[in-house]
Amino acid sequence: MKSFKISTSSPEETMNFSANLANKLQPGDVITLEGDLGAGKTTFTKGLARGLNIKRTVNSPTFTIVKEYEGDLPLYHIDAYRLEHNEEDLGFDEYFEGDGIVVVEWAKFIADYLPEERLNIEITYQEQDGRIIELLPQGQRFEKMCRELTE
Ligand code: ADP
Ligand code: MG
Protein backbone atom coordinates (compact mmCIF):
# COMPACT_ATOMS: atom_id res chain seq x y z
CA MET A 1 0.00 0.00 0.00
CA LYS A 2 1.27 3.48 -0.89
CA SER A 3 1.95 5.97 1.85
CA PHE A 4 2.52 9.72 1.67
CA LYS A 5 3.97 11.80 4.48
CA ILE A 6 3.93 15.48 5.18
CA SER A 7 5.08 17.38 8.23
CA THR A 8 3.43 20.47 9.64
CA SER A 9 4.82 22.86 12.19
CA SER A 10 1.66 24.55 13.46
CA PRO A 11 -2.06 23.84 13.89
CA GLU A 12 -2.68 26.39 11.12
CA GLU A 13 -0.51 24.42 8.73
CA THR A 14 -2.36 21.21 9.53
CA MET A 15 -5.70 22.94 8.94
CA ASN A 16 -4.49 24.40 5.65
CA PHE A 17 -3.58 20.94 4.50
CA SER A 18 -6.91 19.40 5.47
CA ALA A 19 -8.84 22.35 4.00
CA ASN A 20 -7.09 21.64 0.67
CA LEU A 21 -7.96 17.99 1.01
CA ALA A 22 -11.60 18.87 1.67
CA ASN A 23 -11.78 20.65 -1.66
CA LYS A 24 -10.92 17.41 -3.46
CA LEU A 25 -13.49 15.24 -1.71
CA GLN A 26 -16.80 13.95 -3.04
CA PRO A 27 -20.00 12.86 -1.32
CA GLY A 28 -19.56 9.47 0.32
CA ASP A 29 -15.80 9.84 0.83
CA VAL A 30 -14.56 8.37 4.09
CA ILE A 31 -11.49 9.46 6.03
CA THR A 32 -10.25 7.68 9.11
CA LEU A 33 -8.08 9.52 11.62
CA GLU A 34 -5.67 7.80 13.97
CA GLY A 35 -3.36 9.36 16.49
CA ASP A 36 -2.84 9.75 20.22
CA LEU A 37 -4.75 12.22 22.31
CA GLY A 38 -3.51 15.68 21.35
CA ALA A 39 -2.02 14.50 18.06
CA GLY A 40 -4.34 16.77 16.10
CA LYS A 41 -7.31 14.71 14.89
CA THR A 42 -9.83 17.36 15.85
CA THR A 43 -7.60 20.12 14.51
CA PHE A 44 -7.41 18.25 11.21
CA THR A 45 -11.20 17.92 11.17
CA LYS A 46 -11.56 21.67 11.82
CA GLY A 47 -9.53 22.27 8.66
CA LEU A 48 -11.78 19.94 6.68
CA ALA A 49 -14.74 21.90 7.97
CA ARG A 50 -13.13 25.15 6.91
CA GLY A 51 -12.54 23.74 3.43
CA LEU A 52 -16.23 22.84 3.25
CA ASN A 53 -17.26 26.34 4.38
CA ILE A 54 -18.81 25.05 7.58
CA LYS A 55 -19.47 27.93 9.93
CA ARG A 56 -20.20 26.04 13.14
CA THR A 57 -17.31 25.16 15.44
CA VAL A 58 -16.16 21.56 15.22
CA ASN A 59 -15.43 19.89 18.56
CA SER A 60 -14.41 16.37 19.54
CA PRO A 61 -17.56 14.27 19.28
CA THR A 62 -16.87 12.59 22.67
CA PHE A 63 -20.46 12.34 23.93
CA THR A 64 -22.22 11.66 20.68
CA ILE A 65 -21.27 9.03 18.15
CA VAL A 66 -22.07 11.12 15.08
CA LYS A 67 -22.02 14.88 14.74
CA GLU A 68 -23.35 16.50 11.57
CA TYR A 69 -22.25 19.84 10.19
CA GLU A 70 -23.71 21.66 7.20
CA GLY A 71 -21.47 23.17 4.57
CA ASP A 72 -20.86 22.98 0.82
CA LEU A 73 -21.21 19.27 1.57
CA PRO A 74 -22.39 17.87 4.90
CA LEU A 75 -19.62 16.66 7.20
CA TYR A 76 -20.32 13.66 9.43
CA HIS A 77 -17.85 13.36 12.29
CA ILE A 78 -18.02 9.90 13.84
CA ASP A 79 -16.31 8.93 17.08
CA ALA A 80 -16.53 5.14 17.39
CA TYR A 81 -14.74 5.01 20.75
CA ARG A 82 -17.77 3.91 22.71
CA LEU A 83 -18.59 1.19 20.19
CA GLU A 84 -15.68 -1.03 21.17
CA HIS A 85 -17.94 -3.77 22.52
CA ASN A 86 -20.94 -3.01 20.39
CA GLU A 87 -21.96 -5.79 18.06
CA GLU A 88 -24.95 -4.27 16.34
CA ASP A 89 -25.02 -2.45 13.03
CA LEU A 90 -25.95 1.13 13.81
CA GLY A 91 -26.70 1.99 10.19
CA PHE A 92 -23.36 3.49 9.21
CA ASP A 93 -23.97 2.70 5.54
CA GLU A 94 -26.29 5.66 5.46
CA TYR A 95 -23.27 7.88 6.08
CA PHE A 96 -20.74 5.89 4.09
CA GLU A 97 -22.92 5.83 0.99
CA GLY A 98 -24.48 9.18 1.64
CA ASP A 99 -24.39 12.77 0.59
CA GLY A 100 -21.50 14.00 2.68
CA ILE A 101 -17.92 13.58 3.81
CA VAL A 102 -17.37 11.17 6.68
CA VAL A 103 -14.53 11.47 9.18
CA VAL A 104 -14.11 8.57 11.57
CA GLU A 105 -12.09 8.52 14.77
CA TRP A 106 -11.45 5.12 16.44
CA ALA A 107 -12.35 3.51 13.12
CA LYS A 108 -11.05 0.13 14.26
CA PHE A 109 -14.16 -0.31 16.39
CA ILE A 110 -16.38 -0.19 13.32
CA ALA A 111 -13.91 -1.79 10.91
CA ASP A 112 -16.51 -4.21 9.53
CA TYR A 113 -18.66 -1.36 8.26
CA LEU A 114 -16.00 0.81 6.65
CA PRO A 115 -15.93 0.96 2.85
CA GLU A 116 -12.85 -0.60 1.29
CA GLU A 117 -12.04 2.59 -0.62
CA ARG A 118 -11.13 5.25 1.88
CA LEU A 119 -8.35 7.51 3.06
CA ASN A 120 -6.66 6.45 6.27
CA ILE A 121 -4.66 9.14 8.04
CA GLU A 122 -2.26 8.79 10.95
CA ILE A 123 -1.04 11.82 12.83
CA THR A 124 2.04 11.58 15.02
CA TYR A 125 3.25 14.06 17.55
CA GLN A 126 6.81 15.23 16.97
CA GLU A 127 7.87 17.92 19.37
CA GLN A 128 5.87 20.96 20.46
CA ASP A 129 4.05 22.09 17.31
CA GLY A 130 5.49 19.55 14.90
CA ARG A 131 3.34 16.75 13.50
CA ILE A 132 3.78 14.08 10.85
CA ILE A 133 0.67 13.41 8.81
CA GLU A 134 0.78 10.07 7.04
CA LEU A 135 -1.73 9.44 4.29
CA LEU A 136 -2.58 5.81 3.58
CA PRO A 137 -4.98 5.81 0.65
CA GLN A 138 -7.01 2.73 -0.18
CA GLY A 139 -8.08 2.79 -3.81
CA GLN A 140 -6.73 4.57 -6.87
CA ARG A 141 -8.80 7.70 -6.57
CA PHE A 142 -7.49 8.43 -3.07
CA GLU A 143 -3.98 7.54 -4.12
CA LYS A 144 -4.09 10.09 -6.93
CA MET A 145 -5.52 12.66 -4.53
CA CYS A 146 -2.70 12.09 -2.04
CA ARG A 147 -0.08 12.36 -4.75
CA GLU A 148 -1.53 15.70 -5.86
CA LEU A 149 -1.67 16.99 -2.29
CA THR A 150 1.90 16.10 -1.45
CA GLU A 151 3.79 16.92 -4.65
P1 ADP B 1 -6.85 15.06 19.12
O1 ADP B 1 -8.22 15.32 18.53
O2 ADP B 1 -6.00 14.16 18.27
O3 ADP B 1 -6.89 14.63 20.54
P2 ADP B 1 -6.58 17.95 19.06
O4 ADP B 1 -6.69 18.39 17.65
O5 ADP B 1 -7.77 18.12 19.94
O6 ADP B 1 -6.05 16.43 19.09
O7 ADP B 1 -5.37 18.68 19.76
C1 ADP B 1 -4.16 18.95 19.13
C2 ADP B 1 -3.48 20.06 19.87
O8 ADP B 1 -2.17 20.25 19.37
C3 ADP B 1 -4.22 21.37 19.68
O9 ADP B 1 -4.13 22.13 20.87
C4 ADP B 1 -3.40 22.04 18.56
O10 ADP B 1 -3.48 23.45 18.60
C5 ADP B 1 -2.00 21.58 18.90
N1 ADP B 1 -1.06 21.53 17.78
C6 ADP B 1 0.17 22.04 17.82
N2 ADP B 1 0.81 21.87 16.66
C7 ADP B 1 -0.04 21.24 15.83
C8 ADP B 1 0.06 20.79 14.47
N3 ADP B 1 1.18 20.94 13.73
N4 ADP B 1 -1.02 20.17 13.95
C9 ADP B 1 -2.14 20.00 14.68
N5 ADP B 1 -2.30 20.39 15.97
C10 ADP B 1 -1.25 21.01 16.55
MG1 MG C 1 -10.14 14.96 19.30
Side-chain angles (χ1 to χ4, degrees):
M1 209 197 300
K2 284 242 162 41
S3 136
F4 301 80
K5 276 186 190 169
I6 63 146
S7 58
T8 65
S9 46
S10 67
E12 199 49 41
E13 220 181 299
T14 293
M15 286 190 277
N16 278 338
F17 179 81
S18 51
N20 283 336
L21 167 63
N23 290 319
K24 294 180 178 287
L25 297 174
Q26 293 175 6
D29 280 352
V30 176
I31 294 173
T32 71
L33 286 179
E34 305 263 359
D36 294 340
L37 193 69
K41 302 180 294 295
T42 299
T43 302
F44 192 95
T45 309
K46 285 177 195 284
L48 287 174
R50 190 164 72 192
L52 296 171
N53 287 310
I54 287 163
K55 304 294 176 224
R56 257 173 69 209
T57 304
V58 171
N59 296 310
S60 288
T62 320
F63 296 106
T64 33
I65 291 163
V66 185
K67 276 198 182 173
E68 300 188 21
Y69 299 91
E70 293 207 15
D72 294 342
L73 292 172
L75 176 69
Y76 301 108
H77 191 187
I78 299 180
D79 185 339
Y81 185 70
R82 262 164 289 61
L83 300 178
E84 182 171 8
H85 302 293
N86 194 305
E87 301 291 319
E88 60 183 313
D89 183 348
L90 295 173
F92 290 111
D93 280 1
E94 210 177 299
Y95 299 107
F96 296 147
E97 290 161 18
D99 56 350
I101 307 304
V102 190
V103 177
V104 190
E105 297 191 35
W106 294 96
K108 63 183 173 189
F109 295 145
I110 55 167
D112 291 349
Y113 305 109
L114 296 172
E116 201 141 317
E117 295 228 344
R118 60 181 191 260
L119 176 54
N120 296 324
I121 298 181
E122 294 180 16
I123 308 177
T124 346
Y125 180 92
Q126 293 297 101
E127 79 302 316
Q128 293 181 9
D129 293 346
R131 301 290 187 275
I132 302 283
I133 300 175
E134 186 170 18
L135 310 170
L136 300 148
Q138 294 190 182
Q140 294 206 334
R141 208 183 117 244
F142 286 114
E143 195 178 311
K144 179 164 175 277
M145 199 183 286
C146 292
R147 192 170 298 116
E148 286 170 5
L149 283 164
T150 55
E151 67 192 9

Coordinates of all heavy atoms in Angstrom, one line a residue, residues 37-38 40-43 59-62 77 79 105, ligand 2:
L37 N -4.1 11.0 21.8 CA -4.7 12.2 22.3 C -3.8 13.4 22.1 O -2.6 13.3 22.5 CB -5.0 12.0 23.8 CG -6.0 13.0 24.5 CD1 -7.4 12.7 23.9 CD2 -6.0 12.8 26.0
G38 N -4.3 14.5 21.6 CA -3.5 15.7 21.4 C -2.7 15.7 20.1 O -1.9 16.6 19.8
G40 N -3.8 15.7 17.0 CA -4.3 16.8 16.1 C -5.5 16.3 15.2 O -5.8 16.9 14.2
K41 N -6.2 15.2 15.7 CA -7.3 14.7 14.9 C -8.4 15.7 14.8 O -9.0 16.0 13.7 CB -7.8 13.4 15.5 CG -6.8 12.3 15.6 CD -7.3 11.0 16.3 CE -7.7 11.2 17.7 NZ -6.6 11.5 18.6
T42 N -8.8 16.4 15.9 CA -9.8 17.4 15.9 C -9.4 18.6 15.1 O -10.1 19.2 14.3 CB -10.3 17.7 17.3 OG1 -10.8 16.5 17.9 CG2 -11.4 18.8 17.3
T43 N -8.1 19.0 15.3 CA -7.6 20.1 14.5 C -7.7 19.8 13.0 O -8.1 20.7 12.2 CB -6.1 20.4 14.9 OG1 -6.1 20.6 16.3 CG2 -5.5 21.6 14.2
N59 N -16.1 20.4 17.3 CA -15.4 19.9 18.6 C -15.3 18.4 18.5 O -15.9 17.7 17.7 CB -16.3 20.2 19.8 CG -16.5 21.7 19.9 OD1 -15.5 22.4 20.0 ND2 -17.7 22.2 20.0
S60 N -14.5 17.8 19.4 CA -14.4 16.4 19.5 C -15.8 15.8 19.8 O -16.5 16.4 20.6 CB -13.5 16.0 20.7 OG -12.2 16.2 20.3
P61 N -16.2 14.8 19.1 CA -17.6 14.3 19.3 C -17.8 13.6 20.6 O -19.0 13.2 20.9 CB -17.8 13.3 18.1 CG -16.5 13.3 17.4 CD -15.5 14.0 18.1
T62 N -16.8 13.4 21.4 CA -16.9 12.6 22.7 C -18.2 12.0 23.2 O -18.3 10.9 23.5 CB -16.2 13.4 23.8 OG1 -15.0 14.0 23.2 CG2 -15.7 12.5 24.9
H77 N -19.0 13.6 11.4 CA -17.8 13.4 12.3 C -18.2 12.2 13.3 O -19.1 12.5 14.1 CB -17.5 14.7 13.0 CG -16.1 14.6 13.7 ND1 -15.7 15.6 14.6 CD2 -15.2 13.7 13.7 CE1 -14.5 15.3 15.0 NE2 -14.2 14.1 14.5
D79 N -17.3 9.4 16.1 CA -16.3 8.9 17.1 C -16.8 7.6 17.5 O -17.8 7.4 18.3 CB -16.3 9.9 18.3 CG -15.2 9.5 19.3 OD1 -14.8 8.3 19.3 OD2 -14.7 10.4 20.0
E105 N -13.1 8.7 13.8 CA -12.1 8.5 14.8 C -12.4 7.2 15.4 O -13.5 6.8 15.6 CB -12.1 9.7 15.8 CG -11.7 11.0 15.1 CD -11.5 12.1 16.1 OE1 -10.9 11.9 17.2 OE2 -11.8 13.3 15.8
Ligands
MG2 MG -10.1 15.0 19.3

